Amino acid sequence: MQYIRNLSVTPLEHEDVALIKEAFVYKCIRKKEFLLKEGDVCRYIGFIIKGAIRQYTVDKKGNEHMQNLCIENWWTADRESFHNQTPSIYNIDAWEDTELLLLPKANRYYERVNNIPAFREMRIRLDDNNHIATQYRLHSSINHTAEHRYEDLMNRYPEFAQRFPQHIIASYIGITKETLSRIRNQSVRGKL
């Protein structure tokens, strides 16, 4: 509840709190366990309490392509699959043991919770932030060097370096793990 209160100016009413407690489902998933598999329909939007999640596709050669990396206090889902109830093109799995609160589409919980003014205000704010970050990431991938993309990611999300391995970070910023290794080595040599 505090998270919603921190991101909205509209107060939560007692009945709002009761509905939120009724709607959200606590789930713990182990490292490498799937929250969503490609081909399945996304039935939940998840809020990460603790842990790290990755969202990715796998190409015909078996290469993983990171769409999103998510940590505590972030949301995760395939929104297209969730809203349209169509098969997902993504896999979403835990990179660390992860605790989540899941908001299901069933019983109109998403719709009902989204009608709570404070929750809706928070969601719009987060959706706007996510849209801005996605635009920035797309612009960066088109217009900036691999070095700039890596430095920018480390400035924005320094915890990613401790929580995700190089090959996942490389995929997330659209470079090879060899290029990332070279960039990191040059960075270390530059600091000596």
Side-chain angles (χ1 to χ4, degrees):
M1 301 304 158
Q2 191 58 47
Y3 183 80
I4 297 170
R5 288 183 180 108
N6 290 344
L7 292 173
S8 64
V9 294
T10 307
L12 280 169
E13 304 296 331
H14 292 294
E15 58 272 10
D16 299 337
V17 172
L19 176 58
I20 289 168
K21 286 181 178 180
E22 176 188 336
F24 279 88
V25 177
Y26 175 83
K27 183 166 179 87
C28 185
I29 58 175
R30 298 257 178 228
K31 181 177 180 173
K32 297 190 179 183
E33 186 177 342
F34 286 91
L35 183 62
L36 178 68
K37 286 186 180 181
E38 178 185 357
D40 292 346
V41 174
C42 185
R43 304 207 184 281
Y44 302 92
I45 290 181
F47 177 77
I48 303 167
I49 300 169
K50 180 181 178 190
I53 296 274
R54 62 189 187 138
Q55 179 180 357
Y56 61 97
T57 58
V58 179
D59 66 23
K60 291 179 182 177
K61 294 180 181 178
N63 299 312
E64 296 176 347
H65 303 279
M66 296 304 130
Q67 173 72 21
N68 279 314
L69 301 177
C70 305
I71 56 176
E72 289 86 5
N73 296 320
W74 292 19
W75 295 82
T76 186
D78 175 350
R79 298 266 180 120
E80 179 181 9
S81 175
F82 180 80
H83 289 296
N84 297 334
Q85 291 295 279
T86 56
S88 179
I89 63 169
Y90 297 107
N91 293 295
I92 300 176
D93 66 12
W95 191 253
E96 301 171 352
D97 290 349
T98 300
E99 297 175 35
L100 303 120
L101 290 173
L102 302 177
L103 180 59
K105 189 151 182 95
N107 297 324
R108 296 183 45 237
Y109 276 132
Y110 177 81
E111 181 182 326
R112 290 166 56 201
V113 168
N114 203 43
N115 283 329
I116 297 170
F119 186 88
R120 186 173 49 249
E121 182 182 341
M122 175 213 58
R123 185 193 52 78
I124 290 169
R125 186 175 188 181
L126 293 174
D127 284 351
D128 286 348
N129 289 344
N130 183 51
H131 185 75
I132 291 165
T134 301
Q135 279 183 272
Y136 182 84
R137 187 168 161 221
L138 180 59
H139 173 78
S140 184
S141 71
I142 294 169
N143 294 295
H144 295 294
T145 64
E147 291 83 358
H148 182 273
R149 285 181 272 166
Y150 176 69
E151 289 171 14
D152 188 57
L153 182 70
M154 291 300 103
N155 287 332
R156 288 173 179 262
Y157 310 109
E159 61 275 18
F160 281 10
Q162 284 77 44
R163 309 225 16 216
F164 296 100
Q166 282 191 36
H167 73 278
I168 289 178
I169 291 173
S171 174
Y172 184 70
I173 60 175
I175 62 176
T176 66
K177 61 184 177 183
E178 293 80 14
T179 299
L180 180 55
S181 182
R182 179 183 50 77
I183 291 168
R184 289 175 56 135
N185 287 338
Q186 288 172 347
S187 177
V188 168
R189 276 187 255 137
K191 292 178 182 176
L192 295 178

